[in-house]
Amino acid sequence: MSSNESKKVFDEGAALLLVDELRGIFASGTTRSYEWRVSQLKALSKLVDDREQQIIEALRSDLCKPPLETVAYEIAMLKNSCRVALKELKHWMKPEKVKTSMTTFPSSAEIVSEPLGVVLIISAWNYPFLLSLDPVIGAIAAGNTVVLKPSEIAPATSSLLAKLLEEYMDNSSIKVVEGAVDETSALLQQKWDKIFYTGNGRVGRIVMAAAAKHLTPVVLELGGKSPVVVDSDINLRVAARRIIAGKWGCNNGQACISPDYILTTKDFAPKLIDALKTELGKFYGENPLESKDLSRIVNMNHFARLRKLLEDDKVAGKIVYGGEKDESKLRIAPTILLDAPRNSLIMKEEIFGPLLPIITVNKLEESFDVINSGTKPLAAYLFTNNKKLREQFVTTVSAGGLVVNDTTVHLATHTLPFGGVGDSGMGSYHGKFSFEAFSHKKAVLYRGFKADASVRYPPYTKTKLRLLKALIGGSILGIIRAIFGWS
Amino acid sequence: MEREVESMREYYDSGKTKEASWRASQLEGLRAFLTDQQHDIFHALMQDLGKHHLESFRDEIGTLIKSLNFALKHLKQWMSPGKAELPRIALLTSAEIVAEPLGLVLIMSSWNFPFGLSLEPLIGAVAAGNTVVLKPSELSSASASLLASALPNYLDNKAIKVIQGRPEVAEQLLFQKWDKIFFTGSPRVGRIVMSAAAKHLTPVTLELGGKCPAVVDSLSSSWDREVAAKRIIVGKFGACAGQACIAIDYILVGKEFASTLVELIKVWIKKMFGEKPSESNTIARIINKQHFFRLKNLLSDPKVKESVIYGGSMDEEHLFIEPTILVDPPLEAAIMSEEIFGPLLPIVTLEKIEDSIKFINSRPKPLALYVFTKNQSLQGRMVSETSSGSVTFNDAILQYAADSLPFGGVGESGFGNYHGKFSFDTFSHQKGVLRRSFLTDFWFRYPPWTTTKFQELEASYNYDYLGLLLVLLGLKTSPKRL
């Protein structure tokens, strides 16, 4: 299976050939059948089951990701997505009958979901397995052919994906292209029927601009600064644990929906910090830099970026916990800061790391203004028992998704659309939304020849106008009156 | 312009447009505009496009009123959050999807249905609680002026503004940061709009065009044939003289049935439009000289000219083109590769009607596919073997009026959709909201990680309640190692 030929450069020519080949396969109809889709979903599920150890190893290599995190967030979630898709696929594929009204009477109508064709999925490095295969599940369920471009910043996972997908899946229809900027650019030059991108806003703009040339619709799953608003009258221990699980328990803060920063009142901040310190000690022990239960920073680039955030002298003095770094191991300990200045870099950019700034306000309601003054994040969190505050949060804070009294768990809820708004992205997926993201909803209207309302046709007369008005109005009485010339 | 946009954002931030009462008042205002100003609207459309007022009512005013009534009726339902199901393990948790407005949206409409294509999206934008800038096409100038002068009297003009102008104005608008752009027009400009939107990560809906084919199977009953012919004629010549994104562009018919069809169409053209269609006022005019010459040029190729079997006369002064039929023009000619957008109807004959599937699939996906047939097997094949924005059987254009069907393209004909609830959704963000209790907690979410926690997590992810219980009781162990 493996060849000894020298590695061919994947350039525009190769990309064009690849897309043409997949178009041919799609046109043959292979990927449209229910049987094919089920076989691929089952194969994917089997892949994840059989190769769990290898997946855990790859993520350990790329990120030092604790095995339990891999199992919980990458493997278990993928298996669940496959399970949901397999269970619901027949239902999703079925045309949806819709009601028709007087204006098209007599008629019947339905909405038929059809695959878009040849889709490109570009994934990220932080959950390299999940963010590659979860969209693939949607693309397959919807009946498309797929090219997956995993992130080169997680190389062990990228090559494992290439190897395993070739081994387990129908590789005439599902292909992996590995590589970096050059290969991605070659792919983006082509005409796709959909592009699904997970990553940052800078590259998101490039992807959308490339898609614009071919009028290709896109889903962009980006990021932002996901805030956590913490009220005072709460179960502090549980809240602290959930914040920690969502921040450092998610790839050490390198997750698009990780709590980025906290907003709380000046009075409550010390209590919150104490609770966080206590729980952090329980989770990661005395020497968190050595803890096996924390991911490392993915590479030197990001390590240097995070270090820079802390080096700002107006920020360095605000560290109230942690701050230790080990460059040789690319590790940064869980770090908490109190009231870093709002115009510092750490408060302007998405942190994507184990640094947690706490910003204090006088009254908790002010925190909503703080959040709304920035760009719309992918997620926003609130810990409170105050019903009024909760409802205010839901109505005034705009974000991809909201969670009250927890963090990140909405990712696992397949009945909620997962996606951003504004700078945090466009489009959504998970569950049925994944199927829809890769489908075209085709309207189908059935008319007969029997009843023909001449009212639509020239020559145009006053009677026809009256009748038309009545038809639009939809009332039987109105129509009768119009026919008899009484309106 | 930046100041205007800024002030609209501030107004949006005040929260006024989110109120249900505001949204309903705007929809009612639009309805009042359409009823009060009906004569002015007829007049503007007559000026811009020579549209007969019945056509204007049927295609624009009437359809808009229907959509407004539908939106007003369902607004409350659309605005209420939708509950999302959760697995039983998620005790004391609730999930719902809340629709929220995107903020400040830009609607750019085209000249052929200047009221319909401006206000139909506006209905959705306003129902969803957004502030809106509407940029109507300058080519239909009387309609654009009427919209700009009249709408402020019926709507909240701090939230809804009409900005007129030439393409340079549109360019300036595209520089701004919008929360959504809704564009109706040509693929060429669609690319420009999407590229501009990419700079700000603005989501877009593009309602473009294409060559909408009408496949006509041989029909045995003479009643059916006549009805088909009439519907084809209205679907081509009766819809703004063919200048419509969903107008029938060309016909595909079997060789055997072709001549029957052609004769029927000729007969009914005369019956509907009279002997002198230019005087009957029942066919719209071409929008301007540029398009008039574009259409004239489509017939300049001698081989194409040869294939003209009916009509063909053109009046430059009045921008009038007679309903024209061609049979089997060369497939490489421009008239068979570009969207016609005018009253020229090529009829392409095929050996058998099933060949139309291959013909359609070898071309860009159209906005609409029309199929005239009673053969259920052919109907099924058409739906499953071709791709288009929509498929309509035994009629044309009418799908535009169906509130329950999504109206939008695929591939070259665009992406995104609207009408009915789809309009509301297209201008909304579907925000997932999960509410958890402090009381239930899964201890196995938290490090330090142990094999036991691993098993517990696994069981819970598989919604394996019994398994979870067994693990908790220490009665089940996993062979896995970390």
Side-chain angles (χ1 to χ4, degrees):
Chain A
M1 197 149 28
S2 62
S3 63
N4 283 325
E5 58 185 53
S6 60
K7 194 155 185 279
K8 279 189 289 193
V9 172
F10 186 84
D11 58 6
E12 273 172 54
L16 183 60
L17 279 171
L18 177 65
V19 174
D20 276 346
E21 189 191 324
L22 287 170
R23 282 210 185 287
I25 298 284
F26 181 74
S28 76
T30 328
T31 61
R32 300 181 78 133
S33 74
Y34 174 73
E35 290 73 25
W36 181 88
R37 305 184 201 194
V38 166
S39 75
Q40 295 308 290
L41 291 171
K42 285 190 171 157
L44 199 61
S45 198
K46 187 161 193 296
L47 179 166
V48 173
D49 258 331
D50 290 352
R51 304 305 181 117
E52 192 175 287
Q53 267 311 117
Q54 284 183 293
I55 297 168
I56 290 175
E57 281 314 311
L59 282 156
R60 211 201 290 265
S61 165
D62 284 332
L63 288 152
C64 282
K65 198 176 271 206
L68 207 142
E69 266 194 58
T70 303
V71 168
Y73 295 117
E74 305 225 30
I75 294 174
M77 287 203 36
L78 270 172
K79 282 179 33 182
N80 201 34
S81 287
C82 281
R83 191 189 59 88
V84 169
L86 281 163
K87 179 163 174 247
E88 303 288 321
L89 188 60
K90 259 215 173 93
H91 174 61
W92 292 346
M93 282 176 72
K94 204 161 164 244
E96 180 195 339
K97 290 233 172 297
V98 295
K99 283 206 303 214
T100 51
S101 70
M102 196 101 250
T103 38
T104 56
F105 184 82
S107 62
S108 68
E110 58 186 13
I111 300 174
V112 173
S113 287
E114 53 177 37
L116 291 166
V118 182
V119 310
L120 172 65
I121 294 172
I122 301 176
S123 81
W125 54 261
N126 56 338
Y127 286 83
F129 213 75
L130 178 69
L131 298 176
S132 296
L133 297 183
D134 214 353
V136 169
I137 289 172
I140 291 174
N144 300 277
T145 54
V146 186
V147 170
L148 168 65
K149 161 69 187 71
S151 172
E152 69 279 11
I153 297 179
T157 312
S158 175
S159 64
L160 183 64
L161 278 166
K163 175 163 164 283
L164 293 182
L165 287 180
E166 191 183 12
E167 199 183 310
Y168 282 79
M169 313 290 287
D170 171 4
N171 35 352
S172 64
S173 318
I174 300 166
K175 311 242 187 218
V176 178
V177 173
E178 292 192 82
V181 177
D182 289 340
E183 287 78 3
T184 311
S185 303
L187 288 168
L188 286 173
Q189 296 269 37
Q190 309 311 315
K191 178 176 161 68
W192 303 92
D193 297 305
K194 184 102 185 195
I195 300 178
F196 188 105
Y197 169 76
T198 307
N200 64 58
R202 189 186 62 84
V203 178
R205 284 171 170 81
I206 295 172
V207 170
M208 190 170 169
K213 297 203 173 75
H214 296 288
L215 294 169
T216 299
V218 302
V219 171
L220 303 178
E221 295 271 330
L222 310 176
K225 292 181 78 62
S226 301
V228 187
V229 178
V230 185
D231 196 2
S232 45
D233 179 26
I234 54 167
N235 183 329
L236 188 49
R237 199 181 68 104
V238 172
R241 289 157 73 100
R242 290 176 179 179
I243 291 171
I244 295 170
K247 178 75 169 186
W248 297 283
C250 281
N251 209 20
N252 206 13
Q254 302 166 101
C256 49
I257 46 169
S258 246
D260 187 279
Y261 66 102
I262 290 183
L263 286 157
T264 193
T265 55
K266 284 189 173 16
D267 292 333
F268 195 64
K271 290 206 194 83
L272 177 60
I273 293 173
D274 277 339
L276 286 169
K277 284 183 183 173
T278 311
E279 297 302 322
L280 276 167
K282 286 194 208 157
F283 282 23
Y284 304 115
E286 288 303 307
N287 207 349
L289 217 51
E290 308 280 315
S291 171
K292 286 205 167 37
D293 293 336
L294 283 168
S295 297
R296 66 153 210 264
I297 306 304
V298 70
N299 62 18
M300 193 55 218
N301 215 1
H302 281 273
F303 184 91
R305 180 183 63 78
L306 289 163
R307 186 179 52 201
K308 184 155 170 259
L309 293 182
L310 292 178
E311 276 167 4
D312 182 339
D313 17 271
K314 291 197 217 72
V315 168
K318 305 289 184 181
I319 298 177
V320 295
Y321 179 90
E324 302 92 355
K325 307 181 214 71
D326 182 342
E327 188 172 317
S328 66
K329 297 207 181 83
L330 288 178
R331 285 193 173 272
I332 298 180
T335 303
I336 303 177
L337 305 92
L338 180 59
D339 279 327
R342 304 262 181 102
N343 56 6
S344 56
L345 215 54
I346 201 174
M347 281 312 297
K348 289 203 283 192
E349 291 179 1
E350 183 176 6
I351 296 169
F352 225 70
L355 319 174
L356 181 64
I358 298 179
I359 303 292
T360 59
V361 291
N362 291 318
K363 274 177 32 212
L364 205 59
E365 286 78 5
E366 292 168 37
S367 52
F368 299 158
D369 296 327
V370 173
I371 298 172
N372 288 335
S373 68
T375 57
K376 297 178 184 182
L378 188 51
Y381 308 110
L382 169 67
F383 285 87
T384 189
N385 275 315
N386 181 332
K387 192 162 179 233
K388 191 157 160 256
L389 193 70
R390 206 176 63 198
E391 293 323 308
Q392 209 191 335
F393 179 66
V394 173
T395 45
T396 43
V397 174
S398 181
L402 301 180
V403 184
V404 178
N405 295 335
D406 209 330
T407 61
T408 70
V409 285
H410 61 305
L411 185 76
T413 312
H414 68 89
T415 47
L416 288 177
F418 183 79
V421 64
D423 277 37
S424 51
M426 56 182 82
S428 61
Y429 71 132
H430 285 182
K432 180 160 203 246
F433 304 100
S434 288
F435 179 84
E436 290 177 353
F438 292 99
S439 300
H440 165 55
K441 284 197 162 146
K442 184 161 79 178
V444 183
L445 183 67
Y446 296 89
R447 292 262 294 154
F449 292 104
K450 289 203 180 61
D452 197 30
S454 66
V455 95
R456 291 161 59 192
Y457 308 129
Y460 298 135
T461 63
K462 280 210 180 70
T463 313
K464 288 189 180 180
L465 185 59
R466 272 202 316 269
L467 255 174
L468 250 181
K469 287 193 175 177
L471 258 176
I472 300 279
S475 88
I476 305 281
L477 205 58
I479 295 170
I480 294 175
R481 289 175 65 196
I483 293 175
F484 286 103
W486 292 339
S487 56
Chain B
M1 185 185 284
E2 270 114 17
R3 259 178 296 122
E4 270 196 278
V5 171
E6 240 339 281
S7 70
M8 291 179 81
R9 273 206 190 285
E10 277 167 25
Y11 191 64
Y12 174 76
D13 288 338
S14 76
K16 185 87 180 128
T17 63
K18 286 185 178 179
E19 293 164 22
S21 55
W22 181 87
R23 306 183 200 198
S25 73
Q26 298 310 292
L27 294 174
E28 280 156 7
L30 274 171
R31 193 168 54 183
F33 165 67
L34 292 168
T35 17
D36 291 354
Q37 305 268 1
Q38 216 161 101
H39 279 110
D40 287 340
I41 296 174
F42 287 152
H43 185 76
L45 286 167
M46 177 58 84
Q47 251 193 287
D48 284 331
L49 288 153
K51 265 193 210 187
H52 189 279
H53 61 263
L54 200 139
E55 200 184 315
S56 300
F57 185 83
R58 185 195 68 201
D59 296 343
E60 301 208 49
I61 298 174
T63 337
L64 283 168
I65 292 178
K66 160 202 72 70
S67 299
L68 279 162
N69 290 335
F70 190 82
L72 279 162
K73 183 169 171 208
H74 293 98
L75 184 62
K76 202 160 166 212
Q77 187 196 345
W78 293 348
M79 283 178 70
S80 60
K83 284 240 167 297
E85 249 187 59
L86 286 171
R88 255 166 290 141
I89 200 168
L91 296 166
L92 296 180
T93 304
S94 74
E96 60 182 15
I97 301 173
V98 173
E100 56 175 33
L102 292 166
L104 177 56
V105 311
L106 172 66
I107 296 173
M108 303 175 80
S109 65
S110 100
W111 49 260
N112 52 343
F113 293 87
F115 291 94
L117 298 175
S118 298
L119 301 182
E120 191 74 52
L122 183 62
I123 291 172
V126 150
N130 300 278
T131 50
V132 188
V133 166
L134 170 62
K135 164 71 182 71
S137 168
E138 71 282 6
L139 294 187
S140 43
S141 50
S143 304
S145 289
L146 180 58
L147 282 168
S149 60
L151 281 184
N153 300 326
Y154 292 88
L155 305 174
D156 178 352
N157 42 350
K158 289 206 271 309
I160 303 165
K161 295 195 196 280
V162 180
I163 295 185
Q164 288 191 84
R166 297 181 41 82
E168 295 80 54
V169 173
E171 263 178 57
Q172 264 192 295
L173 283 168
L174 287 172
F175 268 131
Q176 310 302 319
K177 179 177 161 66
W178 305 94
D179 297 305
K180 175 102 187 194
I181 299 178
F182 188 103
F183 171 80
T184 306
S186 72
R188 186 189 67 86
V189 182
R191 284 175 171 83
I192 297 172
V193 171
M194 190 172 170
S195 301
K199 298 199 172 77
H200 296 287
L201 293 170
T202 298
V204 303
T205 292
L206 301 179
E207 295 272 334
L208 310 177
K211 292 179 78 62
C212 299
V215 176
V216 187
D217 194 7
S218 47
L219 300 162
S220 42
S221 135
S222 65
W223 171 267
D224 294 351
R225 289 176 184 181
E226 283 199 357
V227 172
K230 287 195 286 189
R231 291 176 178 178
I232 287 169
I233 291 169
V234 171
K236 176 68 166 189
F237 309 110
C240 202
Q243 300 166 102
C245 50
I246 46 171
I248 294 176
D249 188 279
Y250 65 100
I251 288 181
L252 289 166
V253 65
K255 279 185 164 34
E256 281 185 14
F257 191 62
S259 47
T260 316
L261 182 64
V262 171
E263 289 313 307
L264 263 173
I265 293 179
K266 284 186 193 173
V267 162
W268 277 98
I269 286 178
K270 288 216 169 60
K271 284 197 191 177
M272 286 189 185
F273 305 121
E275 286 294 332
K276 289 216 167 133
S278 59
E279 287 167 18
S280 66
N281 221 18
T282 44
I283 300 187
R285 288 192 335 260
I286 308 306
I287 180 72
N288 61 15
K289 284 224 157 85
Q290 187 198 343
H291 279 273
F292 180 90
F293 285 117
R294 178 183 64 78
L295 288 162
K296 190 165 178 195
N297 275 331
L298 288 179
L299 297 183
S300 59
D301 179 338
K303 286 214 184 67
V304 173
K305 220 189 206 142
E306 267 174 23
S307 66
V308 175
I309 56 116
Y310 182 90
S313 70
M314 303 192 178
D315 178 349
E316 185 184 324
E317 197 197 327
H318 295 107
L319 293 176
F320 181 80
I321 295 180
E322 191 190 352
T324 302
I325 307 176
L326 306 88
V327 176
D328 285 324
L331 296 178
E332 334 75 61
I335 200 173
M336 281 311 296
S337 58
E338 292 172 11
E339 184 175 5
I340 296 170
F341 229 68
L344 316 174
L345 179 61
I347 297 182
V348 176
T349 62
L350 306 165
E351 286 303 315
K352 48 188 206 318
I353 200 64
E354 289 81 4
D355 293 341
S356 57
I357 293 177
K358 196 155 163 230
F359 190 97
I360 293 166
N361 286 340
S362 61
R363 287 168 170 73
K365 300 176 184 181
L367 188 50
L369 169 62
Y370 303 111
V371 185
F372 290 83
T373 185
K374 288 175 105 154
N375 180 335
Q376 291 202 337
S377 154
L378 182 64
Q379 286 185 355
R381 283 194 68 190
M382 282 292 172
V383 173
S384 55
E385 294 178 40
T386 66
S387 181
S388 54
S390 65
V391 183
T392 302
F393 288 102
N394 303 327
D395 211 325
I397 315 270
L398 204 64
Q399 74 276 16
Y400 187 83
D403 298 303
S404 54
L405 288 174
F407 183 82
V410 65
E412 289 276 319
S413 49
F415 55 81
N417 54 36
Y418 69 134
H419 286 187
K421 180 165 200 272
F422 301 98
S423 289
F424 179 86
D425 289 343
T426 230
F427 289 101
S428 300
H429 166 53
Q430 305 288 345
K431 185 166 74 180
V433 181
L434 197 65
R435 292 180 178 82
R436 295 257 294 140
S437 150
F438 286 107
L439 292 174
T440 54
D441 208 10
F442 300 121
W443 58 93
F444 41 80
R445 276 171 75 184
Y446 310 123
W449 301 133
T450 61
T451 323
T452 319
K453 286 193 178 179
F454 182 97
Q455 290 162 243
E456 289 162 355
L457 201 57
E458 209 180 14
S460 81
Y461 264 99
N462 290 326
Y463 306 143
D464 179 6
Y465 304 110
L466 182 61
L468 182 58
L469 188 62
L470 292 174
V471 172
L472 288 174
L473 294 174
L475 294 173
K476 181 174 174 185
T477 53
S478 164
K480 296 192 214 284
R481 289 164 305 133
L482 288 179

